[in-house]
Amino acid sequence: MSSSRPPLRNRWLPREPSRTARARVFLIPYSGCGASMYRQWPAERDGVEFLPVELPGHESRFVEPNFTSYAELGEQMSEGLAPYLDVPFGFFGHCGSALAAYETSVQLVTRNVATPSALFVSSEVAPQDGPAGRFLAMDDHELGAELEKLIRELGGTPSAELIELYLEVLRADVETNKRYVVPEPFRLPCPIVAVGWTGDEEIPYSTMGGWPTCGETKSVLLEGGHHRFIEAPDDLLDLMGAALGAAS
């Protein structure tokens, strides 16, 4: 007797990928956050599908162990997302998650799983130039204050319980970032789009000049502050569509 049981949902993706997408961008959450931070992003634009990724130890996967290195995360993610790399694709990461996006791209290439069509990194120094950022020197009280501000920017209402819950995740992510020291980064065969923001006081655009060491790089400065990416601004989506359109 055949079973009518539906296939298990991929734990990496809150939403099942479309079978008709011409290209895909996998959106890796900011440190301490989960896939829901991309709630303002469209599911699709001009045939390019935008897929938030849920990380182990975060949000719907909170009961799972958090990753301890970006390389470990990249290895796991390359296996988990392998079924959906059948069209031109890329990864997007902002700040610390840009390094996770880079390492996942490295794992895919070095493990002969697939080659990304592009890598999109926002508000982050290149691997050989880090670690960098205010969060690395903050204590838990300061990180909690930053979480409260971010939750409000995402449209949520912070509570003491919510801050305490997310602080544990953020602290683990910050420690992973601190350990990420890569003096000789792997050079990717795919193009890199390095995005800075005019009002970014966390990671100034002027500090992002090292990405050409990691692959052929197009550097772009967009209007906005450190968290503008949350709004899915058209100029950022246009960059992604153009990069993946050239690859399709």
Side-chain angles (χ1 to χ4, degrees):
M1 178 184 297
S2 62
S3 172
S4 60
R5 181 182 301 172
L8 295 176
R9 182 182 69 82
N10 187 305
R11 68 185 190 277
W12 292 92
L13 300 173
R15 184 176 72 247
E16 184 69 18
S18 167
R19 296 183 180 181
T20 60
R22 70 169 178 84
R24 296 187 177 110
V25 181
F26 297 96
L27 310 170
I28 302 179
Y30 191 77
S31 295
C33 299
S36 68
M37 79 172 310
Y38 290 105
R39 63 173 68 94
Q40 296 183 43
W41 282 58
E44 179 271 341
R45 189 172 190 253
D46 298 330
V48 177
E49 186 173 30
F50 299 103
L51 290 163
V53 175
E54 193 67 275
L55 304 181
H58 296 63
E59 281 191 355
S60 65
R61 301 178 65 184
F62 185 72
V63 296
E64 299 179 38
N66 205 337
F67 53 90
T68 58
S69 72
Y70 293 133
E72 174 193 338
L73 174 62
E75 181 179 345
Q76 295 175 3
M77 201 184 310
S78 65
E79 294 176 356
L81 299 180
Y84 308 107
L85 309 181
D86 55 335
V87 296
F89 70 93
F91 292 93
F92 170 78
H94 179 86
C95 208
S97 64
L99 302 174
Y102 165 76
E103 278 295 338
T104 302
S105 301
V106 170
Q107 290 293 327
L108 285 169
V109 172
T110 58
R111 293 162 62 84
N112 295 314
V113 177
T115 299
S117 299
L119 168 65
F120 306 98
V121 292
S122 170
S123 293
E124 184 56 279
V125 301
Q128 73 276 12
D129 295 329
R134 289 188 308 124
F135 281 23
L136 303 181
M138 287 184 177
D139 60 25
D140 284 358
H141 177 75
E142 292 168 318
L143 286 176
E146 292 293 326
L147 272 175
E148 180 176 352
K149 182 168 65 174
L150 180 58
I151 290 171
R152 292 188 188 281
E153 289 192 30
L154 288 168
T157 302
S159 65
E161 294 78 12
L162 191 63
I163 295 296
E164 183 179 0
L165 179 66
Y166 278 88
L167 179 58
E168 181 181 344
V169 180
L170 177 57
R171 171 55 68 192
D173 289 350
V174 167
E175 293 304 315
T176 294
N177 197 323
K178 285 182 181 180
R179 291 191 292 269
Y180 188 69
V181 179
V182 184
E184 297 183 5
F186 179 83
R187 186 171 176 84
L188 289 168
C190 66
I192 299 170
V193 180
V195 181
W197 303 90
T198 56
D200 193 344
E201 298 178 356
E202 302 286 341
I203 303 291
Y205 179 66
S206 60
T207 65
M208 295 180 60
W211 283 104
T213 299
C214 304
E216 180 182 344
T217 299
K218 176 181 180 180
S219 296
V220 182
L221 182 62
L222 300 182
E223 292 290 330
H226 187 68
H227 290 140
R228 185 173 176 240
F229 77 100
I230 291 171
E231 305 167 11
D234 287 341
D235 44 8
L236 178 58
L237 301 187
D238 287 343
L239 278 175
M240 295 180 175
L244 292 174
S248 59

